[in-house]
Amino acid sequence: MATSILTPSHAHHGRSLSTSGTPAHYSSPADASSIINTLPSIDFGFDDLKSRMAAFTHKFDAFIEKSRRQVLDDRNTFRARMGELREEQTHSLHSLRALQSTHRTQQSLLATQSAELADLHSTISTISSRRDTLASARERTKARIEDAKRQIERKLELQREYARKFDGMKGRDGPEVGFWEEVLGLRIESAGWDGGVRVGFWNLVTGKSGGQQGGSGGKGMEAGGEAWFELDCGREYRLGEVRPKLRGEGEEGEARDALRRLNEDGEIGPFLKRMRGVLVDVVGRREE
């Protein structure tokens, strides 16, 4: 139940009202005292309030202390976590730098390997090209060797055939060749190439020069020291270089006629006689 509390201001206000002309129920201090005594006693409960306030204060202080500890724990936990995160960040940065360094090293290695691979491909291409070139050259060389073998075989066959001819003529024309060598100064030497001979005559006597026939002289076949011609003794006889050099159609025609007869009958003796006659005429004309 609500209890009315009369404060001094209210009492003063009551007195003011009573003095303002409104009839009052009391008019003396004794009356006022009796009135107050008649009022019920009021228990404000200060002790309960104080205990309750103390309990609240204790609970509030405990809450504050708990909150403060919680805040301190949270802050310490946060600081510890931040330290761990900083360590993790530092470790991660070191790891990242290491990975970046490794990446750069790998990139450099890959670039080097790519360059080496390109060089290897280029070298392989060069070697393959060279191999193909060498293979082609080998085939050409083998073909040339085969051709050279065939040519050598043909030349050997020609030499064997010439040897057979020479052996046949040697028995038949030996005495005559000896006469030509001793008396007419005939010399037969190699021409310096396969199947070629050089036939020379010394001390050619013309109607203008006179002198002795025959004799070996002793000079050797040197330019200007004799009259000579080269003869190719292949499958078909061919006339090579002639000294003194033939001039005009007449001299060349006589030499061609002697060579034609040699290819027709194969007789070397008559051919030498004809060629000696041609050379005698040539030397005689040079002396005129």
Side-chain angles (χ1 to χ4, degrees), residues 5-55:
I5 300 175
L6 183 62
T7 63
S9 59
H10 291 161
H12 177 72
H13 182 65
R15 288 194 300 267
S16 63
L17 290 176
S18 62
T19 58
S20 61
T22 304
H25 297 286
Y26 59 89
S27 59
S28 64
D31 295 335
S33 176
S34 62
I35 295 173
I36 292 173
N37 292 328
T38 60
L39 292 175
S41 62
I42 301 173
D43 186 9
F44 289 97
F46 287 110
D47 294 333
D48 182 56
L49 179 61
K50 184 178 180 181
S51 62
R52 290 173 61 189
M53 288 296 295

Side-chain angles (χ1 to χ4, degrees), residues 150-212:
R150 289 191 293 270
Q151 292 180 4
I152 291 171
E153 186 63 29
R154 285 198 298 269
K155 289 180 180 180
L156 290 175
E157 181 62 28
L158 291 175
Q159 289 179 357
R160 288 191 289 268
E161 183 178 354
Y162 176 74
R164 289 192 295 269
K165 288 182 180 179
F166 185 78
D167 290 340
M169 291 186 296
K170 185 176 181 181
R172 183 183 59 192
D173 301 331
E176 185 176 358
V177 171
F179 172 79
W180 279 80
E181 290 179 347
E182 296 296 329
V183 178
L184 301 179
L186 173 67
R187 291 290 181 270
I188 300 177
E189 299 177 352
S190 172
W193 39 275
D194 293 339
V197 294
R198 178 178 291 181
V199 180
F201 296 97
W202 293 100
N203 299 328
L204 291 178
V205 177
T206 65
K208 300 293 182 181
S209 63
Q212 296 180 346

Side-chain angles (χ1 to χ4, degrees), residues 125-139:
S125 300
T126 303
I127 293 174
S128 299
S129 177
R130 186 176 180 182
R131 180 197 61 189
D132 296 339
T133 302
L134 290 176
S136 178
R138 181 185 63 185
E139 294 299 326

Side-chain angles (χ1 to χ4, degrees), residues 113-127:
Q113 290 179 349
S114 298
E116 291 177 354
L117 184 61
D119 291 340
L120 286 175
H121 283 303
S122 177
T123 303
I124 291 172
S125 300
T126 303
I127 293 174

Side-chain angles (χ1 to χ4, degrees), residues 99-111:
L99 289 174
Q100 288 176 347
S101 177
T102 304
H103 177 70
R104 287 191 296 269
T105 303
Q106 292 294 329
Q107 290 293 331
S108 177
L109 182 61
L110 286 175

